[in-house]
Amino acid sequence: MDFTNLLITVLLLLSPLKYKSDVATASDDEDFFKTCSSHRCSKHGPEIRYPFRLSTQSPSCGAPGMQLSCSGQDTILDHPVLGSCKVTMIYYRHAIMNAIPLVDSSPHCLLHKFISVNQSTAVYRPHTLKAASLVGCSRDSIDTNQYNSIVGPTSCLSLANNASQFWYLAYPYAYMSILPLGCTIVSKDIPMPYSYDKNGPNFGISIFTETAKRVISTGETVFTWYSSNVTSICQQCEHEGRRCGFSSQRDQAFCQHHSMSLSQV
């Protein structure tokens, strides 16, 4: 038997084995979605699906450090730095989460935590792609009716000398030359919660104004997440309209074989 015929014979013998392996893998993948089904804490709450898991599910249903729980109708993230946070939105396609910290060491100035604590963890980090500027003034001297790109004020203590200040949030593209005397930029990296539609993020002046009011009154913030062998694959799955799962055998995320209608929040 020449080499070509030998090679063909070997391939024919291996083909059934390869077919059985593919069928077994597809079956295992589908088992993941039966075992690790998606959940919501309330009818209109964010959907909890891989890479997140509900605390009542097996640890294999979510990526490490990405456990959520239900408290009544609220979806709760136990953030390693900020403590318990109420999750308001999850944008799986963009790996973005909006959340409101429920415990705050500075209840009279919710903006303090954005500049006094490093919120980055092994999984989560503040999303500052379109961050607002934090402006501190010695008196309430900015007419926010005249400048719609600036929202506030809220009364806070200066981190430099503990003196009382008025703090404002300024639109990322606002001209800081309009600031009156006695006002300085405290930070340029205040994360602003996102909203998305099919065209991408919404971030005009009117949306900024409403979002900044929420940040000042509730401390709402935004995180992005990263988990090796998971995040980039899952984002690709979401873009293709397919759910993401994880194979412990292959030690990586995978896309469900058939597409389905996925909620983005």
Side-chain angles (χ1 to χ4, degrees), residues 122-186:
V123 176
Y124 303 101
R125 63 181 176 83
H127 189 67
T128 55
L129 186 61
K130 291 186 181 293
S133 293
L134 178 60
V135 176
C137 301
S138 55
R139 55 194 178 89
D140 183 5
S141 52
I142 298 180
D143 184 355
T144 53
N145 292 320
Q146 182 179 353
Y147 302 110
N148 62 357
S149 58
I150 298 180
V151 176
T154 183
S155 181
C156 296
L157 294 178
S158 165
L159 296 180
N161 55 20
N162 244 16
S164 181
Q165 279 193 326
F166 293 93
W167 282 7
Y168 303 80
L169 288 176
Y171 187 62
Y173 309 111
Y175 293 105
M176 293 296 100
S177 57
I178 64 175
L179 295 180
L181 290 174
C183 295
T184 57
I185 297 174
V186 179

Side-chain angles (χ1 to χ4, degrees), residues 25-52:
T25 299
S27 174
D28 290 344
D29 288 355
E30 287 308 311
D31 284 345
F32 175 90
F33 297 109
K34 290 175 185 174
T35 306
C36 304
S37 56
S38 63
H39 292 271
R40 292 180 191 268
C41 295
S42 64
K43 183 179 178 180
H44 300 293
E47 185 177 358
I48 301 169
R49 60 176 186 260
Y50 195 84
F52 293 98

Side-chain angles (χ1 to χ4, degrees), residues 3-253:
F3 179 75
T4 302
N5 288 333
L6 177 62
L7 182 61
I8 291 171
T9 302
V10 170
L11 290 174
L12 287 173
L13 289 171
L14 289 177
S15 290
L17 296 177
K18 173 68 167 62
Y19 172 74
K20 286 179 182 176
S21 171
D22 288 346
V23 169
T25 299
S27 174
D28 290 344
D29 288 355
E30 287 308 311
D31 284 345
F32 175 90
F33 297 109
K34 290 175 185 174
T35 306
C36 304
S37 56
S38 63
H39 292 271
R40 292 180 191 268
C41 295
S42 64
K43 183 179 178 180
H44 300 293
E47 185 177 358
I48 301 169
R49 60 176 186 260
Y50 195 84
F52 293 98
R53 71 175 175 91
L54 203 54
S55 56
T56 53
Q57 293 178 303
S58 163
S60 61
C61 289
M66 300 188 71
Q67 173 182 304
L68 300 175
S69 60
C70 295
S71 176
Q73 295 197 326
D74 292 340
T75 306
I76 303 298
L77 164 71
D78 188 14
H79 190 277
V81 176
L82 297 175
S84 294
C85 297
K86 175 185 174 181
V87 179
T88 54
M89 291 286 184
I90 302 176
Y91 297 100
Y92 288 90
R93 186 176 295 182
H94 306 280
I96 293 289
M97 169 193 281
N98 294 345
I100 301 172
L102 299 179
V103 178
D104 201 291
S105 56
S106 306
H108 302 298
C109 182
L110 299 177
L111 298 178
H112 257 155
K113 66 178 177 292
F114 294 123
I115 56 176
S116 60
V117 178
N118 181 2
Q119 298 176 38
S120 295
T121 71
V123 176
Y124 303 101
R125 63 181 176 83
H127 189 67
T128 55
L129 186 61
K130 291 186 181 293
S133 293
L134 178 60
V135 176
C137 301
S138 55
R139 55 194 178 89
D140 183 5
S141 52
I142 298 180
D143 184 355
T144 53
N145 292 320
Q146 182 179 353
Y147 302 110
N148 62 357
S149 58
I150 298 180
V151 176
T154 183
S155 181
C156 296
L157 294 178
S158 165
L159 296 180
N161 55 20
N162 244 16
S164 181
Q165 279 193 326
F166 293 93
W167 282 7
Y168 303 80
L169 288 176
Y171 187 62
Y173 309 111
Y175 293 105
M176 293 296 100
S177 57
I178 64 175
L179 295 180
L181 290 174
C183 295
T184 57
I185 297 174
V186 179
S187 171
K188 291 185 177 180
D189 294 311
I190 305 302
M192 298 300 288
Y194 270 53
S195 65
Y196 284 86
D197 59 25
K198 62 182 180 181
N199 299 315
N202 299 313
F203 205 74
I205 281 282
S206 59
I207 291 175
F208 167 80
T209 300
E210 292 307 312
T211 303
K213 288 177 181 176
R214 289 204 320 271
V215 172
I216 288 173
S217 63
T218 69
E220 188 174 9
T221 188
V222 57
F223 305 115
T224 185
W225 66 78
Y226 178 78
S227 182
S228 62
N229 293 343
V230 169
T231 303
S232 58
I233 296 173
C234 284
Q235 283 185 271
Q236 183 60 40
C237 298
E238 296 286 338
H239 277 287
E240 294 173 0
R242 297 192 286 166
R243 280 189 61 189
C244 184
F246 190 82
S247 167
S248 337
Q249 240 178 356
R250 303 193 297 276
D251 192 32
Q252 71 172 36

